[in-house]
Amino acid sequence: MPSPTCTIDASSVIALDHLDLLPQLSFLFSRVLLPKAVRTELFKRRSTKDRLRAVLDSYTFVERCDDYDKGAVDILLIERATQGVEDRGEVEAVVQAAKVGAMVVVDDPWGRELAVRFDCDYHGTFWVLKRFFELGLTPSATTRNHFVQLFRRGTRMPWPAVNEFLVAIGEPPLTETGGVL
């Protein structure tokens, strides 16, 4: 059975890129689709621009994807703009996932709500890191170190669930000072 396809939002790409784990997504997904708005956001960041280009050039499972209902995206963005926020990357990721039957990797709470509205399976960066551990791609100490790095960067995560997971795999939980005990 082929592994599933996913679309992914910018915050998840940034977190996984920071940990040098983007290539390992091939163990979870046969295709990782990067919506145009996500690419645009990532290409604005000097720290991810060159690495993302290299990933797109080197790994065929990471693909540019612009095939989605632009009208649906625009309507959802109008709805979101009334709240003073524009999340085009999350919207494109969810709308594309719904169109192609993919999972959405999204950390933003509103993006997750949107995935539910579109009946899409969704997970976040926390789930990706857990799966890497469960598949034996990263040992427990390395997994904990990944969470420490993301905590120190201020990455949005379900930190109580992260700590429960760390304890379950025999690692100490993170502390409020960044997890180095």
Side-chain angles (χ1 to χ4, degrees):
M1 180 173 139
S3 55
T5 297
C6 81
T7 60
I8 189 166
D9 78 338
S11 64
S12 298
V13 172
I14 291 166
L16 294 169
D17 178 61
H18 175 72
L19 301 172
D20 294 322
L21 292 175
L22 284 175
Q24 282 80 346
L25 285 173
S26 67
F27 290 100
L28 303 179
F29 304 104
S30 58
R31 297 172 65 207
V32 174
L33 305 176
L34 292 175
K36 183 177 182 177
V38 171
R39 294 189 317 267
T40 299
E41 184 177 339
L42 295 171
F43 285 149
K44 287 180 185 176
R45 299 173 61 94
R46 182 174 299 201
S47 62
T48 56
K49 181 177 168 181
D50 293 334
R51 287 193 305 272
L52 183 60
R53 275 204 179 104
V55 165
L56 285 165
D57 291 342
S58 301
Y59 301 101
T60 59
F61 76 95
V62 180
E63 304 173 28
R64 293 169 176 87
C65 185
D66 301 324
D67 184 23
Y68 58 94
D69 184 346
K70 291 168 180 50
V73 169
D74 291 339
I75 289 169
L76 290 165
L77 286 172
I78 290 169
E79 174 186 315
R80 186 68 168 156
T82 62
Q83 301 167 356
V85 181
E86 184 176 317
D87 294 321
R88 187 168 196 95
E90 284 87 358
V91 174
E92 285 185 15
V94 170
V95 170
Q96 283 185 22
K99 180 174 181 171
V100 300
M103 175 190 296
V104 183
V105 178
V106 59
D107 288 328
D108 179 76
W110 183 75
R112 289 167 171 258
E113 290 173 24
L114 195 58
V116 169
R117 285 174 50 188
F118 275 77
D119 199 29
C120 293
D121 187 18
Y122 67 89
H123 295 285
T125 305
F126 171 51
W127 177 85
V128 171
L129 296 176
K130 276 180 61 176
R131 290 295 297 142
F132 288 164
F133 171 79
E134 292 164 354
L135 293 171
L137 299 173
T138 55
S140 62
T142 301
T143 299
R144 183 179 190 280
N145 184 50
H146 287 155
F147 287 120
V148 168
Q149 289 179 55
L150 295 177
F151 183 87
R152 288 182 175 161
R153 286 179 57 90
T155 302
R156 181 183 306 154
M157 288 273 172
W159 294 112
V162 168
N163 276 338
E164 286 178 31
F165 171 67
L166 289 173
V167 169
I169 65 171
E171 291 293 329
L174 302 181
T175 65
E176 295 209 13
T177 59
V180 179
L181 301 175

